[in-house]
Amino acid sequence: MVNITVVGVGHVGLVSAAAFARWGHQVVGLDDDPAKVEKLRGGQAWFYEPGLQELLDEVVTGGRLQFTGDAKDALQDAEVVFVCVGTPPMPGGGPNLAFVEAVGRTVVEHASRDLVLVEKSTVPANTGRRLEQVIQRETSRLGNSHRIEVASNPEFLKEGAAVEDTLHPDRVVYGTSSDVSRDALRRVYAPLVEQDGCPVVETDVPTAELIKHASNAFLATRISFINAVAQICERVGADVAVVAEGMGHDVRIGPRFLQAGLGYGGSCFPKDVDAFAHLAKQVGYDFELLEQVARINVGQRDTVIGKLEHELWHLTDKTIAVLGAAFKPGTDDLRESPAIHLAQRLREAGAEVRIYDPVALPNVAIEHPELERHETIEGCLDGAHAAVVATDWDEIKRITPQQYLDKLAYPIVIDGRNVHDPDEMIAAGLRYHSMGRRSVDL
Ligand code: UGA
């Protein structure tokens, strides 16, 4: 059993804390947002994630996971402290690491024994070194005699599958600078490795940081690659879904993350691609490929607008039903959501926008009150001049051609996530366009 403190109980921090507790460790979650702490103390998750509430029910009730807003309490017995605070993007391109630095200072102030400080937030390679400097400076300023070592343990969980990904990861990666910190992380992950036989990559701190950068940038590159291929497919009459299937059978390529559409969003890929490009520049390498990956991604939204304009000519005063608001299914997260960006672009072009989402509407109400919300698909489609599929929720996949025909004023559907069958939609009489597949005559 290891005494663990997790600083920051957001998506990564809360799920990780609950998983550590499930593996038998004693865990404290520390956060400076009193509303979150209060909710969590009552055993309630403050955001939606499949399986999270059940996991909290088990570990909070069992007393293995506690929450506090008091740093001194949280760090009292900590042997391993995970930094899971936010690293929001800054206007210049890099992430804002002020919260990470602040955790470093707080930990030195309250450490009551030797401990390992582990970065789990997605941070640029070299943050480990920066944290070491902070610790050295603060240790000599405060005269704290405890040894604090910095390690990196990047997180690879996906929103919407965070609990599953954390309890059964493809791999665990940690970078350490001594046997002491390596052994501490071995003890943290021992129950998982014993149960699941999950592969472990043990390395140094900068390499662990780079594994995270490279993994996210590579996945984003796959998505932009297939989206660029989709553009060519449209122009030569090929079907990108079948191209992806054909490519995916090659075991060197594999089938996943080759789904063409509106592109990637969320709190990770857009920010991480920019941060990696920014880091590369800082160290003297122009990683132009990543700039193209981001450019292709945003360009997918123009493609959808182009298709709408092709059908409707002007968008001014046209009512467009946007189906889906979350950046992907299985979450209510709107951060960098392509659906929301598209809705905003449509409004700028003069359209009236309505939006439907099975779980994210409360967040739309708070963050984008300008968008007209609809609780049902039928209500959203009713009388609209066109529909755009923006998030591939199952509810949206199940819409039949007849439902569109019955409700829309004009039978126009732009499928930004390739969820419907083009032959069926076109045969039913819809003006159907998707991304890189057969469309109604252009
Ligand atoms: C991503 C990574 O997949 C995780 O491994 C990583 O830990 C996480 O970022 C992070 O750095 O914290 P996440 O942002 O939750 O996870 O979402 P993904 O499932 O990766 O989807 C990202 C976006 O790509 C979504 O908007 C999704 O719709 C889009 N996408 C995904 C596609 O457009 N095509 C695909 O084939 C796959």
Side-chain angles (χ1 to χ4, degrees):
M1 195 273 286
V2 181
N3 283 329
I4 294 175
T5 298
V6 174
V7 187
V9 288
H11 276 87
V12 169
L14 182 57
V15 177
S16 302
F20 294 145
R22 155 70 79 81
W23 297 330
H25 303 303
Q26 194 60 44
V27 187
V28 180
L30 168 67
D31 204 287
D32 59 10
D33 181 339
K36 281 180 195 159
V37 171
E38 168 131 13
K39 203 157 186 205
L40 289 165
R41 276 186 161 165
Q44 295 301 308
W46 67 268
F47 58 87
Y48 172 75
E49 189 65 52
L52 178 59
Q53 189 56 56
E54 292 78 352
L55 188 56
L56 287 181
D57 289 346
E58 179 192 320
V59 294
V60 177
T61 316
R64 290 203 302 279
L65 174 57
Q66 286 157 343
F67 298 95
T68 177
D70 185 311
K72 189 163 183 278
D73 281 356
L75 293 163
Q76 213 165 33
D77 293 315
E79 294 168 77
V80 179
V81 178
F82 286 91
V83 186
C84 300
V85 293
T87 55
M90 288 198 298
N96 181 350
L97 298 172
F99 302 119
V100 175
E101 185 188 337
V103 175
R105 288 198 306 265
T106 307
V107 168
V108 177
E109 190 184 340
H110 298 296
S112 60
R113 61 199 288 179
D114 291 356
L115 62 81
V116 184
L117 180 61
V118 190
E119 334 153 336
K120 222 181 206 329
S121 302
T122 301
V123 290
N126 70 21
T127 303
R129 274 194 208 115
R130 283 293 200 175
L131 263 180
E132 269 164 16
Q133 285 170 352
V134 171
I135 287 163
Q136 271 164 17
R137 273 203 304 262
E138 287 294 295
T139 304
S140 52
R141 185 176 78 83
L142 297 170
N144 188 330
S145 56
H146 302 296
R147 190 175 158 75
I148 299 174
E149 285 188 27
V150 173
S152 164
N153 171 217
E155 182 51 63
F156 302 101
L157 61 83
K158 298 183 289 300
E159 280 189 44
V163 171
E164 180 61 23
D165 285 352
T166 307
L167 292 177
H168 307 287
D170 293 340
R171 80 294 209 189
V172 168
V173 173
Y174 45 80
T176 52
S177 53
S178 79
D179 292 354
V180 173
S181 43
R182 189 202 55 208
D183 291 348
L185 281 154
R186 275 189 188 166
R187 285 199 294 131
V188 169
Y189 285 104
L192 169 70
V193 175
E194 279 157 23
Q195 278 159 29
D196 251 37
C198 157
V200 177
V201 179
E202 291 184 344
T203 182
D204 54 41
V205 174
T207 306
E209 291 171 332
L210 243 296
I211 290 171
K212 174 69 187 185
H213 277 301
S215 300
N216 272 8
F218 186 73
L219 290 169
T221 304
R222 280 177 71 104
I223 299 170
S224 280
F225 182 86
I226 202 68
N227 280 332
V229 172
Q231 296 283 344
I232 310 291
C233 285
E234 283 185 13
R235 289 161 172 81
V236 303
D239 184 324
V240 71
V242 184
V243 171
E245 187 192 340
M247 289 166 63
H249 284 298
D250 185 328
V251 290
R252 293 169 302 177
I253 298 174
R256 297 174 65 190
F257 277 69
L258 285 178
Q259 208 179 309
L262 255 182
Y264 59 78
S267 64
C268 304
F269 286 170
K271 185 182 81 176
D272 290 356
V273 167
D274 284 355
F276 200 14
H278 184 79
L279 169 81
K281 264 209 183 86
Q282 275 182 332
V283 296
Y285 180 74
D286 196 359
F287 207 155
E288 271 179 89
L289 173 65
L290 294 183
E291 280 151 30
Q292 294 303 319
V293 165
R295 190 187 58 77
I296 293 168
N297 191 52
V298 174
Q300 290 303 96
R301 296 159 205 173
D302 299 333
T303 305
V304 169
I305 294 195
K307 288 172 197 283
L308 278 169
E309 284 172 343
H310 168 81
E311 287 294 340
L312 290 168
W313 192 11
H314 297 293
L315 299 181
T316 315
D317 297 332
K318 301 280 172 27
T319 301
I320 313 291
V322 174
L323 301 173
F327 83 96
K328 65 172 188 179
T331 173
D332 61 357
D333 194 339
L334 303 179
R335 284 176 290 177
E336 296 293 323
S337 170
I340 295 288
H341 284 188
L342 182 70
Q344 283 166 334
R345 292 271 311 273
L346 290 169
R347 272 172 56 85
E348 282 157 24
E352 305 268 327
V353 179
R354 301 154 165 199
I355 199 155
Y356 160 81
D357 193 283
V359 305
L361 287 184
N363 286 345
V364 176
I366 297 164
E367 293 168 39
H368 302 280
E370 72 284 3
L371 298 174
E372 186 185 311
R373 301 176 302 283
H374 284 264
E375 305 273 343
T376 64
I377 289 171
E378 286 72 20
C380 191
L381 294 177
D382 198 13
H385 296 110
V388 178
V389 175
T391 312
D392 39 348
W393 286 102
D394 285 342
E395 290 84 341
I396 295 171
K397 288 183 185 167
R398 286 196 293 264
I399 305 174
T400 61
Q402 196 56 48
Q403 276 175 291
Y404 284 118
L405 287 167
D406 287 347
K407 291 288 170 193
L408 288 170
Y410 302 158
I412 300 167
V413 177
I414 314 294
D415 184 352
R417 292 290 178 186
N418 288 351
V419 300
H420 297 306
D421 178 343
D423 294 337
E424 238 180 70
M425 299 288 279
I426 294 166
L430 285 158
R431 307 269 323 154
Y432 176 78
H433 300 264
S434 54
M435 307 294 274
R437 304 183 308 164
R438 184 178 164 222
S439 288
V440 75
D441 58 299
L442 273 170

